[in-house]
Amino acid sequence: MEILAQYGQVLVFVAALFGFIMAYGVGANDVANAMGTSVGSKALTIKQAIVIAAIFEFTGAFFAGGEVTSTIRNGIVDSAVFAPVPELLAYGMIASLLAAGTWLLVATYYGWPVSTTHSIVGAIIGFSAVGVGIESVKWDEVGGIVGSWVITPMLAGVLAYLLFMSAQRLIFDTDNPLAAAKKFVPYYMVFAAFIMAFVTVTKGLKHVGLHLTDTEGFLLCIAIAVVAGLIGKLAISRVKIDPEADKEMHFNNVEKIFGILMIFTACCMAFAHGSNDVANAIGPLAAVVGVIESGGQILDKVSLAWWILPLGAVGIVIGLMTFGARVIETIGSNITHLTPSRGFAAEIAAASTVVISSGLGLPISTTQTLVGAVLGVGMARGIAALNLSVIRNIFVSWVVTLPIGAFLSIVFFYIIKLIVGAA
């Protein structure tokens, strides 16, 4: 308690600095989830993607990032065990932010799309296990996370495969692809609008003050989907078909239609991502601030100080703008060749998986989900369409994320403990 009173402001400053580093890493690595497929399919240039992502990530993080945040990410450790030694929680959360942020920057440098959620969870597991005891970790939750390495990418991959194959059969393999697109694309738009509205409402607007019941939210999403479908049908009906044009020209026009859809889905994904994953950076920071401002009390929920949310939002945007291109290139170009229709299938499959997993209460990594969806689209063209060496590196980076986060957190935890003790 005396340590918190004596060094409280210093600890808050250090936590804010490392929280910014973590947010920077989230922006650099995780924003490819929203923009990678759009860039890879040439629906957007890298500069356009960065501008759009910066706007919607910041908007999501700042306006819908939450009034309240849980101090312990995903309930992965038992907060009650820290009650006798609250300073250890402060040291550990600071160490976790630096550990997870460091790993994200290393992974981004090599272009590996890793899970920011698993990075911070691994870090929290590490300091808690050595700082308080192995019994403080809820190992069943850890088991669920390990299981998600397989389940969510597979689910997204299957959905992406089915979506792309349906577009192939209904549109691209017909005698008149553009006429088929006019007929069937509005239905894809209805499905896409419903899924993206559902993701945005449930993941992005739950803390804005819109207190909708589940039924009201569901009906709102249906209404948005129907309106989007009608607008899409009207817009596509105005596309002129040149009867003399060859099939290749029809293919190009159909891809342009899917490209427009992808821009819409990318904006929604960026907003939902900013609102949801900013918690990976500000959750531990809020925990440190809460412990110090409460005089050492361990609270399950803490109100956010006014400066925490903007810090996370700005960190995400700066990370994206200065260092985000590497992972965007990996997801968009290096796994498999993407066209707008393939990218659209991958993005909607990833969003659908987020909805399904959230409904079932499964732990989920948006990164792993999207990579799985891109793999599914690639598999629709055969194993030769996939870059297996890139996929191998990605899978290895997923497996080592949790233990590396834990190891770095343990090292930084003891360093911080040593420095404060020596002071």
Short mmCIF file of all heavy atoms in Angstrom, two decimals, residues 18 48 80 102 122 130 147 159 190 194 243-244 257 295 328 334 342 374:
data_model
loop_
_atom_site.label_atom_id
_atom_site.label_comp_id
_atom_site.label_asym_id
_atom_site.label_seq_id
_atom_site.Cartn_x
_atom_site.Cartn_y
_atom_site.Cartn_z
N PHE A 18 3.47 2.47 -21.71
CA PHE A 18 3.44 1.11 -22.24
C PHE A 18 2.08 0.78 -22.87
O PHE A 18 1.99 -0.01 -23.80
CB PHE A 18 3.79 0.10 -21.15
CG PHE A 18 5.22 0.21 -20.66
CD1 PHE A 18 5.61 -0.41 -19.47
CD2 PHE A 18 6.16 0.93 -21.37
CE1 PHE A 18 6.93 -0.31 -19.01
CE2 PHE A 18 7.47 1.03 -20.92
CZ PHE A 18 7.85 0.42 -19.74
N GLN A 48 -5.42 4.49 -49.46
CA GLN A 48 -6.86 4.62 -49.21
C GLN A 48 -7.28 3.78 -48.00
O GLN A 48 -8.06 4.23 -47.15
CB GLN A 48 -7.65 4.17 -50.44
CG GLN A 48 -7.55 5.11 -51.63
CD GLN A 48 -8.15 4.51 -52.89
OE1 GLN A 48 -8.23 3.29 -53.04
NE2 GLN A 48 -8.56 5.36 -53.81
N ALA A 80 -9.23 -11.74 -7.06
CA ALA A 80 -9.29 -11.75 -5.60
C ALA A 80 -7.95 -12.09 -4.97
O ALA A 80 -7.65 -11.64 -3.86
CB ALA A 80 -10.36 -12.74 -5.13
N THR A 102 5.71 -5.43 -27.10
CA THR A 102 6.99 -5.82 -27.69
C THR A 102 6.81 -6.95 -28.70
O THR A 102 7.34 -6.90 -29.82
CB THR A 102 7.98 -6.26 -26.59
OG1 THR A 102 8.19 -5.17 -25.69
CG2 THR A 102 9.31 -6.69 -27.18
N GLY A 122 -1.66 -14.00 -22.73
CA GLY A 122 -0.45 -14.75 -22.37
C GLY A 122 0.41 -13.99 -21.39
O GLY A 122 0.94 -14.57 -20.43
N VAL A 130 3.68 -16.46 -11.81
CA VAL A 130 4.91 -16.36 -11.02
C VAL A 130 4.78 -15.34 -9.89
O VAL A 130 5.44 -15.47 -8.86
CB VAL A 130 6.12 -15.96 -11.91
CG1 VAL A 130 6.35 -16.99 -12.99
CG2 VAL A 130 5.97 -14.58 -12.50
N GLY A 147 -7.97 -24.09 -27.89
CA GLY A 147 -8.93 -24.72 -28.80
C GLY A 147 -9.35 -23.80 -29.93
O GLY A 147 -9.60 -24.25 -31.06
N LEU A 159 -16.83 -21.47 -44.13
CA LEU A 159 -17.82 -20.48 -44.57
C LEU A 159 -17.33 -19.73 -45.80
O LEU A 159 -18.10 -19.49 -46.74
CB LEU A 159 -18.12 -19.50 -43.43
CG LEU A 159 -18.96 -20.02 -42.27
CD1 LEU A 159 -19.06 -18.97 -41.17
CD2 LEU A 159 -20.36 -20.39 -42.75
N VAL A 190 -27.73 -8.21 -48.86
CA VAL A 190 -28.60 -8.35 -47.69
C VAL A 190 -27.88 -9.14 -46.59
O VAL A 190 -27.87 -8.74 -45.42
CB VAL A 190 -29.93 -9.06 -48.08
CG1 VAL A 190 -30.71 -9.47 -46.83
CG2 VAL A 190 -30.78 -8.14 -48.95
N PHE A 194 -26.57 -7.55 -43.05
CA PHE A 194 -27.06 -8.08 -41.77
C PHE A 194 -25.89 -8.46 -40.87
O PHE A 194 -25.85 -8.10 -39.68
CB PHE A 194 -27.94 -9.31 -42.01
CG PHE A 194 -28.39 -9.96 -40.73
CD1 PHE A 194 -29.44 -9.44 -39.99
CD2 PHE A 194 -27.74 -11.09 -40.24
CE1 PHE A 194 -29.84 -10.03 -38.79
CE2 PHE A 194 -28.13 -11.69 -39.06
CZ PHE A 194 -29.18 -11.15 -38.33
N PRO A 243 -24.20 -5.77 -74.83
CA PRO A 243 -24.40 -7.13 -75.37
C PRO A 243 -23.24 -7.61 -76.22
O PRO A 243 -23.07 -8.82 -76.43
CB PRO A 243 -25.69 -6.98 -76.21
CG PRO A 243 -25.80 -5.52 -76.50
CD PRO A 243 -25.18 -4.82 -75.34
N GLU A 244 -22.42 -6.69 -76.71
CA GLU A 244 -21.29 -7.07 -77.54
C GLU A 244 -20.04 -7.39 -76.73
O GLU A 244 -19.05 -7.91 -77.27
CB GLU A 244 -20.95 -5.92 -78.52
CG GLU A 244 -22.11 -5.50 -79.40
CD GLU A 244 -22.61 -6.64 -80.27
OE1 GLU A 244 -21.76 -7.39 -80.79
OE2 GLU A 244 -23.84 -6.78 -80.41
N ILE A 257 -18.31 -4.63 -58.82
CA ILE A 257 -19.46 -4.60 -57.91
C ILE A 257 -19.06 -5.17 -56.54
O ILE A 257 -19.37 -4.59 -55.49
CB ILE A 257 -20.64 -5.41 -58.50
CG1 ILE A 257 -21.17 -4.71 -59.75
CG2 ILE A 257 -21.76 -5.56 -57.46
CD1 ILE A 257 -22.19 -5.53 -60.53
N GLY A 295 -6.61 3.44 -3.83
CA GLY A 295 -5.79 3.22 -2.64
C GLY A 295 -5.44 1.77 -2.40
O GLY A 295 -5.19 1.37 -1.25
N ILE A 328 -0.73 -6.04 -43.54
CA ILE A 328 -1.74 -5.90 -44.60
C ILE A 328 -1.28 -6.65 -45.85
O ILE A 328 -2.06 -7.35 -46.50
CB ILE A 328 -2.00 -4.41 -44.91
CG1 ILE A 328 -2.81 -3.77 -43.78
CG2 ILE A 328 -2.73 -4.24 -46.24
CD1 ILE A 328 -3.07 -2.30 -43.96
N ASN A 334 0.14 -12.26 -49.73
CA ASN A 334 1.14 -13.33 -49.61
C ASN A 334 0.57 -14.72 -49.34
O ASN A 334 1.26 -15.72 -49.55
CB ASN A 334 2.15 -12.98 -48.51
CG ASN A 334 2.98 -11.76 -48.87
OD1 ASN A 334 2.95 -11.30 -50.00
ND2 ASN A 334 3.71 -11.23 -47.91
N ARG A 342 -13.36 -12.84 -54.09
CA ARG A 342 -12.73 -13.73 -53.10
C ARG A 342 -12.53 -13.01 -51.77
O ARG A 342 -12.78 -13.57 -50.70
CB ARG A 342 -11.38 -14.23 -53.62
CG ARG A 342 -11.46 -15.14 -54.83
CD ARG A 342 -10.09 -15.41 -55.42
NE ARG A 342 -10.19 -15.96 -56.77
CZ ARG A 342 -9.26 -15.87 -57.69
NH1 ARG A 342 -8.11 -15.24 -57.41
NH2 ARG A 342 -9.42 -16.38 -58.89
N VAL A 374 -9.34 -16.51 -45.45
CA VAL A 374 -8.52 -16.35 -46.66
C VAL A 374 -8.02 -17.72 -47.14
O VAL A 374 -7.99 -18.00 -48.34
CB VAL A 374 -7.33 -15.39 -46.40
CG1 VAL A 374 -6.38 -15.37 -47.59
CG2 VAL A 374 -7.85 -13.98 -46.12
#
